[in-house]
Amino acid sequence: MEQEVTLPVRGKEATKQSNKPKKASTNQPKGEKANKANAKVATASKAENDPNAMFKVGFLADVYNEKPSEKVVTRFPPEPNGYLHIGHSKAIAVNFGFARYRNGICYLRYDDTNPAGEREEYFLAIKEMIEWLGFEPVGITYSSDNFDRLWELAEILIRKDEDEIQDQRGGGKGQGRKRYACPHRNRPAEESINEFRAMRDDCLCDSFEGITHSLCTTEFELSRVSYEWLCDKLEVYKPMQREYGRLNVTGTVLSKRKIIDLIEGGYVSGWDDPRLYTLIALRRRGVPPGAILSFVNELGVTKAKTNIETHKFEQSIRRYLENTVPRLMMVLEPLKVVIDNLNDDFMDMVELPFSKDPSFGVRKVPFTKTVFIERSDFREEDSKDYFRLAPGKTVGLMKVPFPITATSFDKDNDTGLITCVHAKYEQPSDGPPKKAKTFIHWVSECSTQGSPLRAEVRAFDPLFKSADPLAHPSGSFLNDINPKSLNVFTDAMIEIGFHEVRKRAPWPAEAGEKAQDGAKDTARPESVRFQGMRVAYFAMDKEASEDKLVFNRIVTLKEDVGK
């Protein structure tokens, strides 16, 4: 049974605050366009096969060559006033990845300069997401720890009574990138001291921590002049600052305020609702951390802002999962098939591989008189262009020795739904066996083997109807909500091979995917990933239990043409 629902709101967020918990031109010739397209594909393919491609060539390679260092030191300085989102994954990959590739170190520095917006849960979630992505900070620092030192340096600088100490501002709207002197440039020193004391600026933290390469996004580019000037005037160590373009995903919203609107309005269940693009939501949905890093690596790093459509992100995830997770048979909307010419106690253990890769191994599942197939794999009336099961038509059941032919079906007169299909097992008594043109997946009914396993499956579609929710004509992005963004299949079935997949998780085995359970390592639920053959990729949800399996759809097997 399929239901269209919206997950309920889970109550108010905790309010306890804490500062420190311990398109390109179309005028070029056709051949030139083709060559550029081929080059782009080749570059993406190279990046896909080399997880360090973004550090070997391009912007980050140039940054290192500009300032080679025996010991690279970087930092990731998030503000602990919300949960990290997909855009932050680029900053994490750039800073932590750059340091790791150059055998250096990276600090996690909480930019805790706005206590009113800080919560302990944000501090903890930031560190957790960094570790989930496979990185480990060499140390954790806090901007607020430097306030006294910054205050002292600010007073020294102001008392030098130099006109140029005042911040130079970038041009306003319509003034481009031109810089001009601040109107407060000539105000009394004491007044400036009071301003500095109020702001307690932390722009020298990179210097204090010995950062060799200060890598930040391009909105800080105009600040570089002041950044370097300040270090020179104070005669302190000067890191090299270089700026790269942000990563933005279209078709969703990433701002904290708008996500809170979604939560409080009951449109999503929380910060980890799988339809969101916060990192905790992507994790719960089942997206592997390696897939996110691979996606960033494929995009590369330049100074240009990167706007990526959500379906492009899903394409990258799909490629990543193709060869890294096992395959199982799962039926979302089961239709019962009784094979009438088999005995009631008939059972054949059928062997199926977990993957095209032999190293994944095999499993055995029971094939019996009663099996369940996908409801969409049967039609009451046959047609020449239909190759699955229909009255008089033969299909193969994956890895079952012989095919089946539908002979009749039962129907509920009230609902009009097919309740059971009757079939014949085409095992020949002599001569060659009957051949099937199409093979479909199935799950058998076998009480002695505990088959089938029953489950709830949540299939997620885009939360918004357009690529730019903020541009909705009504002025409210909430009016762009897709009312069918979540479909729940309450009667899904999965084969018993799932037991082994669960036992052998995480899939794939990556750093940051193990959860501590006392003295024993256990895989996090979302790391139990698999491909539902002919259906989609799935991961177990955190609400799953021993009594009830719950799965989230990560991505479909193929891109939805409607997206």
Side-chain angles (χ1 to χ4, degrees), residues 491-527:
D491 299 316
M493 298 179 178
I494 187 170
E495 56 150 290
I496 60 174
F498 172 74
H499 291 310
E500 185 173 349
V501 168
R502 185 175 187 176
K503 181 179 179 181
R504 292 169 58 185
W507 297 92
E510 295 179 339
E513 289 255 279
K514 288 279 188 177
Q516 296 294 321
D517 183 15
K520 179 182 177 181
D521 281 343
T522 56
R524 294 185 56 92
E526 67 275 352
S527 72

Short mmCIF file of all heavy atoms in Angstrom, two decimals, residues 491-527:
data_model
loop_
_atom_site.label_atom_id
_atom_site.label_comp_id
_atom_site.label_asym_id
_atom_site.label_seq_id
_atom_site.Cartn_x
_atom_site.Cartn_y
_atom_site.Cartn_z
N ASP A 491 3.80 -1.87 2.99
CA ASP A 491 3.74 -3.33 2.91
C ASP A 491 4.88 -3.92 2.06
O ASP A 491 4.73 -4.97 1.45
CB ASP A 491 2.40 -3.78 2.30
CG ASP A 491 1.22 -3.33 3.15
OD1 ASP A 491 1.31 -3.47 4.38
OD2 ASP A 491 0.22 -2.84 2.58
N ALA A 492 6.00 -3.24 2.03
CA ALA A 492 7.12 -3.72 1.23
C ALA A 492 7.69 -5.01 1.79
O ALA A 492 7.53 -5.32 2.98
CB ALA A 492 8.20 -2.65 1.17
N MET A 493 8.34 -5.78 0.93
CA MET A 493 8.97 -7.04 1.32
C MET A 493 10.40 -7.09 0.79
O MET A 493 10.69 -6.57 -0.29
CB MET A 493 8.20 -8.24 0.75
CG MET A 493 6.78 -8.37 1.26
SD MET A 493 5.95 -9.80 0.49
CE MET A 493 4.36 -9.73 1.31
N ILE A 494 11.27 -7.74 1.56
CA ILE A 494 12.66 -7.86 1.15
C ILE A 494 13.13 -9.27 1.43
O ILE A 494 12.67 -9.93 2.36
CB ILE A 494 13.54 -6.82 1.88
CG1 ILE A 494 14.96 -6.82 1.32
CG2 ILE A 494 13.54 -7.05 3.37
CD1 ILE A 494 15.81 -5.67 1.82
N GLU A 495 14.04 -9.75 0.62
CA GLU A 495 14.55 -11.12 0.77
C GLU A 495 15.42 -11.27 2.01
O GLU A 495 15.93 -10.29 2.56
CB GLU A 495 15.36 -11.50 -0.46
CG GLU A 495 16.50 -10.52 -0.76
CD GLU A 495 17.68 -11.17 -1.44
OE1 GLU A 495 18.37 -11.96 -0.76
OE2 GLU A 495 17.90 -10.86 -2.62
N ILE A 496 15.61 -12.52 2.44
CA ILE A 496 16.34 -12.78 3.67
C ILE A 496 17.84 -12.53 3.55
O ILE A 496 18.55 -12.52 4.56
CB ILE A 496 16.10 -14.22 4.16
CG1 ILE A 496 16.57 -15.24 3.10
CG2 ILE A 496 14.63 -14.44 4.51
CD1 ILE A 496 16.50 -16.69 3.57
N GLY A 497 18.34 -12.32 2.33
CA GLY A 497 19.75 -11.97 2.17
C GLY A 497 20.09 -10.66 2.87
O GLY A 497 21.27 -10.36 3.09
N PHE A 498 19.05 -9.91 3.26
CA PHE A 498 19.29 -8.66 3.96
C PHE A 498 20.02 -8.88 5.29
O PHE A 498 20.79 -8.03 5.73
CB PHE A 498 17.97 -7.94 4.22
CG PHE A 498 18.11 -6.72 5.10
CD1 PHE A 498 18.68 -5.56 4.61
CD2 PHE A 498 17.71 -6.77 6.43
CE1 PHE A 498 18.83 -4.45 5.43
CE2 PHE A 498 17.86 -5.66 7.25
CZ PHE A 498 18.43 -4.50 6.76
N HIS A 499 19.76 -10.01 5.93
CA HIS A 499 20.42 -10.28 7.21
C HIS A 499 21.94 -10.19 7.08
O HIS A 499 22.61 -9.60 7.93
CB HIS A 499 20.02 -11.67 7.72
CG HIS A 499 18.59 -11.78 8.14
ND1 HIS A 499 18.00 -10.87 9.00
CD2 HIS A 499 17.62 -12.70 7.82
CE1 HIS A 499 16.72 -11.23 9.20
NE2 HIS A 499 16.48 -12.33 8.49
N GLU A 500 22.49 -10.77 6.03
CA GLU A 500 23.94 -10.74 5.86
C GLU A 500 24.43 -9.35 5.49
O GLU A 500 25.48 -8.92 5.94
CB GLU A 500 24.37 -11.74 4.78
CG GLU A 500 25.89 -11.82 4.64
CD GLU A 500 26.35 -12.91 3.71
OE1 GLU A 500 25.51 -13.75 3.31
OE2 GLU A 500 27.54 -12.93 3.37
N VAL A 501 23.65 -8.66 4.67
CA VAL A 501 24.02 -7.29 4.31
C VAL A 501 24.09 -6.41 5.55
O VAL A 501 25.03 -5.62 5.73
CB VAL A 501 23.01 -6.71 3.28
CG1 VAL A 501 23.21 -5.21 3.12
CG2 VAL A 501 23.17 -7.41 1.94
N ARG A 502 23.13 -6.58 6.43
CA ARG A 502 23.12 -5.80 7.67
C ARG A 502 24.30 -6.15 8.56
O ARG A 502 24.93 -5.28 9.16
CB ARG A 502 21.80 -6.04 8.41
CG ARG A 502 21.60 -5.19 9.65
CD ARG A 502 20.22 -5.42 10.24
NE ARG A 502 19.92 -4.51 11.34
CZ ARG A 502 18.76 -4.46 11.96
NH1 ARG A 502 17.77 -5.28 11.60
NH2 ARG A 502 18.56 -3.60 12.95
N LYS A 503 24.59 -7.41 8.63
CA LYS A 503 25.69 -7.88 9.47
C LYS A 503 27.04 -7.37 8.97
O LYS A 503 27.93 -7.06 9.77
CB LYS A 503 25.68 -9.41 9.52
CG LYS A 503 26.77 -10.02 10.39
CD LYS A 503 26.67 -11.54 10.39
CE LYS A 503 27.76 -12.16 11.23
NZ LYS A 503 27.68 -13.65 11.22
N ARG A 504 27.20 -7.27 7.64
CA ARG A 504 28.49 -6.89 7.05
C ARG A 504 28.63 -5.38 6.83
O ARG A 504 29.65 -4.93 6.30
CB ARG A 504 28.69 -7.63 5.73
CG ARG A 504 28.89 -9.13 5.90
CD ARG A 504 28.80 -9.85 4.56
NE ARG A 504 29.77 -9.36 3.61
CZ ARG A 504 29.84 -9.76 2.33
NH1 ARG A 504 28.96 -10.67 1.88
NH2 ARG A 504 30.74 -9.27 1.52
N ALA A 505 27.63 -4.60 7.22
CA ALA A 505 27.71 -3.14 7.04
C ALA A 505 28.86 -2.58 7.86
O ALA A 505 29.27 -3.19 8.86
CB ALA A 505 26.38 -2.51 7.43
N PRO A 506 29.43 -1.43 7.49
CA PRO A 506 28.91 -0.46 6.53
C PRO A 506 29.24 -0.80 5.08
O PRO A 506 30.24 -1.43 4.79
CB PRO A 506 29.60 0.85 6.94
CG PRO A 506 30.91 0.40 7.51
CD PRO A 506 30.61 -0.90 8.22
N TRP A 507 28.36 -0.34 4.21
CA TRP A 507 28.54 -0.45 2.76
C TRP A 507 28.52 0.96 2.16
O TRP A 507 27.51 1.63 2.24
CB TRP A 507 27.40 -1.26 2.14
CG TRP A 507 27.32 -2.67 2.60
CD1 TRP A 507 26.59 -3.15 3.65
CD2 TRP A 507 27.96 -3.82 2.02
NE1 TRP A 507 26.73 -4.50 3.76
CE2 TRP A 507 27.58 -4.94 2.77
CE3 TRP A 507 28.82 -4.00 0.93
CZ2 TRP A 507 28.01 -6.23 2.48
CZ3 TRP A 507 29.26 -5.27 0.63
CH2 TRP A 507 28.87 -6.37 1.40
N PRO A 508 29.62 1.38 1.52
CA PRO A 508 30.94 0.77 1.57
C PRO A 508 31.60 1.04 2.92
O PRO A 508 31.14 1.90 3.69
CB PRO A 508 31.69 1.47 0.44
CG PRO A 508 31.07 2.82 0.37
CD PRO A 508 29.61 2.61 0.69
N ALA A 509 32.66 0.30 3.21
CA ALA A 509 33.36 0.47 4.47
C ALA A 509 34.23 1.72 4.39
O ALA A 509 35.26 1.74 3.73
CB ALA A 509 34.22 -0.76 4.76
N GLU A 510 33.79 2.79 5.04
CA GLU A 510 34.51 4.06 4.98
C GLU A 510 34.76 4.60 6.38
O GLU A 510 34.04 4.28 7.32
CB GLU A 510 33.72 5.10 4.18
CG GLU A 510 33.55 4.74 2.71
CD GLU A 510 32.74 5.78 1.97
OE1 GLU A 510 31.99 6.53 2.62
OE2 GLU A 510 32.85 5.83 0.73
N ALA A 511 35.77 5.44 6.48
CA ALA A 511 36.07 6.08 7.75
C ALA A 511 34.88 6.93 8.18
O ALA A 511 34.22 7.56 7.37
CB ALA A 511 37.31 6.94 7.62
N GLY A 512 34.61 6.93 9.47
CA GLY A 512 33.54 7.76 10.00
C GLY A 512 32.17 7.12 9.99
O GLY A 512 31.19 7.75 10.38
N GLU A 513 32.06 5.85 9.57
CA GLU A 513 30.74 5.22 9.45
C GLU A 513 30.48 4.18 10.54
O GLU A 513 29.46 3.51 10.51
CB GLU A 513 30.61 4.55 8.08
CG GLU A 513 30.47 5.54 6.95
CD GLU A 513 29.06 5.61 6.42
OE1 GLU A 513 28.69 4.73 5.62
OE2 GLU A 513 28.34 6.54 6.78
N LYS A 514 31.38 4.05 11.48
CA LYS A 514 31.16 3.12 12.59
C LYS A 514 30.63 3.87 13.81
O LYS A 514 31.05 4.99 14.09
CB LYS A 514 32.47 2.43 12.97
CG LYS A 514 32.95 1.40 11.96
CD LYS A 514 32.22 0.09 12.15
CE LYS A 514 32.83 -1.00 11.27
NZ LYS A 514 32.20 -2.30 11.47
N ALA A 515 29.70 3.24 14.51
CA ALA A 515 29.17 3.84 15.74
C ALA A 515 29.59 2.98 16.92
O ALA A 515 29.63 1.76 16.82
CB ALA A 515 27.65 3.94 15.68
N GLN A 516 29.95 3.61 18.01
CA GLN A 516 30.37 2.88 19.19
C GLN A 516 29.18 2.35 19.98
O GLN A 516 28.24 3.08 20.25
CB GLN A 516 31.23 3.77 20.08
CG GLN A 516 32.54 4.21 19.44
CD GLN A 516 33.48 3.05 19.21
OE1 GLN A 516 33.56 2.14 20.05
NE2 GLN A 516 34.17 3.06 18.10
N ASP A 517 29.22 1.07 20.33
CA ASP A 517 28.17 0.46 21.13
C ASP A 517 28.85 -0.28 22.27
O ASP A 517 29.09 -1.47 22.19
CB ASP A 517 27.33 -0.48 20.27
CG ASP A 517 26.17 -1.09 21.05
OD1 ASP A 517 25.85 -0.59 22.13
OD2 ASP A 517 25.61 -2.09 20.57
N GLY A 518 29.21 0.48 23.29
CA GLY A 518 29.98 -0.12 24.36
C GLY A 518 31.37 -0.46 23.85
O GLY A 518 32.05 0.35 23.24
N ALA A 519 31.78 -1.71 24.07
CA ALA A 519 33.10 -2.15 23.62
C ALA A 519 33.05 -2.69 22.20
O ALA A 519 34.04 -3.10 21.64
CB ALA A 519 33.65 -3.21 24.57
N LYS A 520 31.85 -2.69 21.60
CA LYS A 520 31.69 -3.31 20.29
C LYS A 520 31.36 -2.26 19.24
O LYS A 520 30.57 -1.35 19.47
CB LYS A 520 30.55 -4.33 20.35
CG LYS A 520 30.28 -5.03 19.01
CD LYS A 520 29.11 -5.99 19.17
CE LYS A 520 28.77 -6.66 17.84
NZ LYS A 520 27.62 -7.57 17.98
N ASP A 521 32.01 -2.38 18.07
CA ASP A 521 31.70 -1.48 16.97
C ASP A 521 30.47 -1.97 16.23
O ASP A 521 30.38 -3.14 15.85
CB ASP A 521 32.87 -1.41 15.98
CG ASP A 521 33.98 -0.50 16.47
OD1 ASP A 521 33.73 0.31 17.38
OD2 ASP A 521 35.09 -0.62 15.95
N THR A 522 29.52 -1.11 16.04
CA THR A 522 28.34 -1.46 15.26
C THR A 522 28.13 -0.41 14.20
O THR A 522 28.39 0.78 14.41
CB THR A 522 27.08 -1.52 16.15
OG1 THR A 522 26.92 -0.27 16.83
CG2 THR A 522 27.19 -2.65 17.15
N ALA A 523 27.64 -0.84 13.04
CA ALA A 523 27.43 0.09 11.94
C ALA A 523 26.23 0.98 12.20
O ALA A 523 25.22 0.54 12.74
CB ALA A 523 27.24 -0.68 10.63
N ARG A 524 26.34 2.24 11.83
CA ARG A 524 25.20 3.13 11.92
C ARG A 524 24.12 2.62 10.98
O ARG A 524 24.41 2.04 9.94
CB ARG A 524 25.60 4.56 11.54
CG ARG A 524 26.58 5.22 12.51
CD ARG A 524 26.79 6.67 12.09
NE ARG A 524 25.51 7.36 12.03
CZ ARG A 524 24.97 8.04 13.04
NH1 ARG A 524 25.60 8.10 14.20
NH2 ARG A 524 23.81 8.65 12.91
N PRO A 525 22.84 2.83 11.29
CA PRO A 525 21.77 2.28 10.45
C PRO A 525 21.84 2.72 9.00
O PRO A 525 21.63 1.93 8.08
CB PRO A 525 20.49 2.78 11.14
CG PRO A 525 20.92 3.89 12.04
CD PRO A 525 22.31 3.54 12.45
N GLU A 526 22.15 4.02 8.75
CA GLU A 526 22.17 4.50 7.38
C GLU A 526 23.33 3.95 6.55
O GLU A 526 23.36 4.09 5.33
CB GLU A 526 22.20 6.04 7.34
CG GLU A 526 23.47 6.65 7.87
CD GLU A 526 23.47 6.82 9.37
OE1 GLU A 526 22.40 6.58 10.00
OE2 GLU A 526 24.52 7.19 9.92
N SER A 527 24.29 3.28 7.20
CA SER A 527 25.39 2.67 6.45
C SER A 527 25.02 1.28 5.93
O SER A 527 25.79 0.66 5.20
CB SER A 527 26.65 2.57 7.32
OG SER A 527 26.50 1.57 8.32
#
